[in-house]
Amino acid sequence: MSDRLEFPDGVVRVTPLVGVPDSQSISLSTLLDAQHLQSALLTSFIIDTNWLLSHIQPHTPLTLIANQAQSTSSLHQNISWCKPEFVVPNMQIMHTKLMFLVYPRHVRFVVLTGNLVEEEWTVVQNSVFIQDFPLDYTRVFSANEFSTSLALSLHDLSVPYSVVARLNHVDFTRARARIVTTVPTGGKRVHMNMESYGMLRLAHVVDQFNTQIAEEWEPDARLYCIGSSLGKLDTNWLRDFYMCAHGWDPQSLALNARASIVPENMIDIAVAFPTHSDVATNVYGKPAMQYVMAKQNVYENPKFPKSCMFRVQPRVNRTVVHTKAIVARTGERQNRGWVYLGSHNFTPAAWGRLQRGESPYYNNYEMGVVLLDVKYECRSQDCVSKIVWENTNVVLPFSPVWVPYGRSDAPYFNPDIQ
C-alpha cells in the first residue's frame, strides 16, 4: 500500500447510481478499501449489517452506532455496538452519519448524508465528504480546532476511549472543514455547552469566518437548503436560522426585536424538497421513494411557510436526491459563501429550536461539515453553475437553482410514515 494520501485536502463526491457511469461518484467498496482497513468506526441512522459486512473483511474490528443496534452475521465476530445516551428514547434519534477508518499509515474521515443501506448507495444519490490524515503511533500531535471538535463529537456519541485516543496520533494540520454537531438536550455526556451544537454552532463557525474576512453583519445571504425530510417549519424558526447563518446568535433578543432586524421579506431561504411528481416519476421506482420523508399534516399546517418551498433539480434527471446540504451565497455579488454537508435535515429536530431565557432544545444526534470561503460561478442570480472550495470543485447531486414551487406543486408525502 502506498504512503501517498488519496484525499489529503478533502473532497466532496456523490454516491453512485445503478446504470449511471459517473467519474465523480465513489462506491462504498472504494471508500472503505477493505484490503488495507485495520479498524473502523461507522455510524448511521440505519445499518444493513449483512450488506455492510459484505464490503469488509471478517477479521476487521468494527465499532458500530445506529439508532437501534441490530444482530450481526456470525461470520463477523469482531463487532462492538455502541449506544449513545437517549433521555427520551421514543423521541430522540441517532442520525449521525460518520466514518472514521484506520489504515496502517493514515486515517480517513468521512461525513455522509446517506445511511449504510444498499438502496442509498444505488438508487438515490447522496453526498460524501472525505479527507485522509497521516497516522503515526510514535508521535503525539498538537490538538487543533478540528481534532478537538472531532474528539468532543465522538465523546458525545459515547464512543469508547480506546477509539478516541487514536486522534492523538493523527496529524490534522491540513484540516480546513469545520465540524458541526447536534446532541439531544438533557444528556449527561454533553460537554456542558449547548452553544456548541446545532444552529448556534453554525453561527459560531460563520462568525469566525466573517471576522477573518472583516465582513460586517449584513442580512444579505441566500440560502438553498435541501434535505430528505420535511420538518415543522415556521417563520420564527426560519428567521433564527437565517440570523445564525450570518454568524449572529439571536438568543438574547425578543421575537419582536428579531423581526425588526430581519423582517419576514428579508428571510432569503429556499427550502428545496422533491415534489410528488419528481418522486413518483423517478426511474428507480418504489425503492427510491421510501427515502423521502414528508407528512401532509405538517405541510398543511397554517404556520408552515409554503412560499419558501423550491424545486430540486437532480444532477441526474429523474432521480431522487437524498442529500442534506446548505448552499449559502453572501455579499453583494453573491459569488462567495459557505456550504454545509452532513446528516442534518433542514428541520428544528436536527438544528435545534431556540428558546429565549432557556437552553435551546435539540432532538437528534447529527454531524456535518461546513466548507468556508467557497467561491461560486453563477449563470444568473438564481443559478449556481460551479462551486469551488480550496481550489477543488464541490460536486453535489443537485444543481442549486432557485425555482419556486408552482401552484400545482406539493411535496411527496410518504404514505409509510405517520
Side-chain angles (χ1 to χ4, degrees):
M1 182 181 182
S2 171
D3 290 341
R4 184 183 65 85
L5 302 181
E6 188 173 359
F7 305 110
D9 296 309
V11 297
V12 178
R13 293 287 184 263
V14 294
T15 54
L17 291 166
V18 172
V20 180
D22 189 346
S23 63
Q24 299 299 324
S25 69
I26 186 166
S27 68
L28 183 63
S29 296
T30 301
L31 189 63
L32 292 173
D33 186 14
Q35 180 182 354
H36 301 104
L37 184 64
Q38 291 189 326
S39 66
L41 166 68
L42 305 170
T43 82
S44 179
F45 177 62
I46 309 169
I47 300 178
D48 181 340
T49 51
N50 290 333
W51 176 76
L52 172 64
L53 295 178
S54 70
H55 295 79
I56 298 175
Q57 295 187 357
H59 64 273
T60 306
L62 302 178
T63 301
L64 302 182
I65 304 177
N67 195 52
Q68 294 181 342
Q70 300 135 47
S71 60
T72 53
S73 168
S74 60
L75 298 177
H76 198 124
Q77 299 292 335
N78 208 353
I79 293 178
S80 298
W81 282 97
C82 181
K83 185 177 181 181
E85 180 184 19
F86 293 105
V87 179
V88 189
N90 293 332
M91 291 182 58
Q92 297 170 337
I93 65 171
M94 205 305 298
H95 200 247
T96 296
K97 298 163 176 51
L98 165 72
M99 293 183 179
F100 187 71
L101 311 174
V102 180
Y103 303 92
R105 300 296 299 274
H106 75 281
V107 301
R108 176 165 290 173
F109 171 79
V110 182
V111 165
L112 308 161
T113 68
N115 293 298
L116 293 173
V117 297
E118 184 174 8
E119 292 91 346
E120 296 202 24
W121 292 78
T122 53
V123 298
V124 297
Q125 200 155 48
N126 282 287
S127 297
V128 186
F129 174 83
I130 318 160
Q131 187 163 6
D132 295 338
F133 299 99
L135 173 66
D136 186 346
Y137 288 112
T138 67
R139 299 179 61 186
V140 175
F141 293 94
S142 298
N144 60 13
E145 202 276 344
F146 183 90
S147 63
T148 301
S149 296
L150 181 56
L152 291 172
S153 302
L154 299 183
H155 170 79
D156 287 340
L157 286 167
S158 304
V159 172
Y161 177 75
S162 59
V163 176
V164 181
R166 283 200 181 95
L167 301 183
N168 293 321
H169 305 291
V170 180
D171 182 0
F172 289 107
T173 303
R174 295 179 73 162
R176 295 293 180 269
R178 298 297 184 91
I179 294 174
V180 175
T181 64
T182 299
V183 173
T185 297
K188 298 177 182 177
R189 297 190 67 89
V190 298
H191 43 92
M192 307 308 291
N193 183 6
M194 298 307 286
E195 295 184 1
S196 296
Y197 304 122
M199 69 167 74
L200 295 181
R201 167 63 179 170
L202 177 65
H204 177 71
V205 168
V206 175
D207 181 57
Q208 286 186 323
F209 171 60
N210 290 343
T211 301
Q212 290 173 10
I213 63 175
E215 185 164 301
E216 304 248 340
W217 194 90
E218 185 84 24
D220 61 0
R222 300 197 78 192
L223 306 182
Y224 185 96
C225 309
I226 185 171
S228 58
S229 181
L230 195 63
K232 297 179 179 179
L233 307 180
D234 58 57
T235 300
N236 287 332
W237 187 84
L238 291 179
R239 180 181 290 110
D240 287 346
F241 192 93
Y242 191 67
M243 295 177 76
C244 287
H246 288 80
W248 192 358
D249 178 353
Q251 284 186 107
S252 62
L253 301 172
L255 290 178
N256 59 353
R258 301 178 201 178
S260 66
I261 296 170
V262 183
E264 185 173 350
N265 64 352
M266 291 185 67
I267 303 172
D268 198 343
I269 295 180
V271 180
F273 198 82
T275 66
H276 177 85
S277 61
D278 292 336
V279 177
T281 60
N282 88 88
V283 295
Y284 298 106
K286 289 185 178 180
M289 297 168 71
Q290 63 182 315
Y291 294 104
V292 179
M293 303 294 175
K295 299 179 182 179
Q296 186 168 2
N297 64 334
V298 170
Y299 184 69
E300 298 296 343
N301 187 300
K303 293 184 178 180
F304 191 93
K306 293 183 180 179
S307 62
C308 291
M309 297 300 293
F310 280 67
R311 300 290 300 263
V312 176
Q313 183 172 308
R315 185 166 172 265
V316 179
N317 288 336
R318 295 185 60 202
T319 59
V320 173
V321 177
H322 188 263
T323 199
K324 299 104 175 92
I326 300 173
V327 175
R329 298 166 61 190
T330 61
E332 184 177 352
R333 298 177 61 189
Q334 298 279 295
N335 62 352
R336 67 183 305 177
W338 51 266
V339 170
Y340 165 85
L341 295 167
S343 68
H344 292 77
N345 279 296
F346 191 62
T347 66
W351 286 103
R353 189 177 288 278
L354 305 186
Q355 305 175 108
R356 188 167 184 264
E358 301 179 27
S359 296
Y361 178 78
Y362 305 107
N363 192 78
N364 302 354
Y365 285 97
E366 308 276 4
M367 176 182 280
V369 291
V370 176
L371 312 180
L372 295 171
D373 203 13
V374 164
K375 306 297 191 301
Y376 298 110
E377 293 183 11
C378 305
R379 293 196 187 99
S380 68
Q381 184 181 6
D382 296 323
C383 180
V384 173
S385 57
K386 188 176 182 180
I387 304 175
V388 179
W389 175 71
E390 297 286 326
N391 298 315
T392 301
N393 289 347
V394 175
V395 181
L396 298 174
F398 62 93
S399 298
V401 179
W402 276 253
V403 178
Y405 270 22
R407 287 187 178 182
S408 61
D409 287 333
Y412 172 75
F413 302 122
N414 192 320
D416 297 328
I417 59 175
Q418 300 178 355

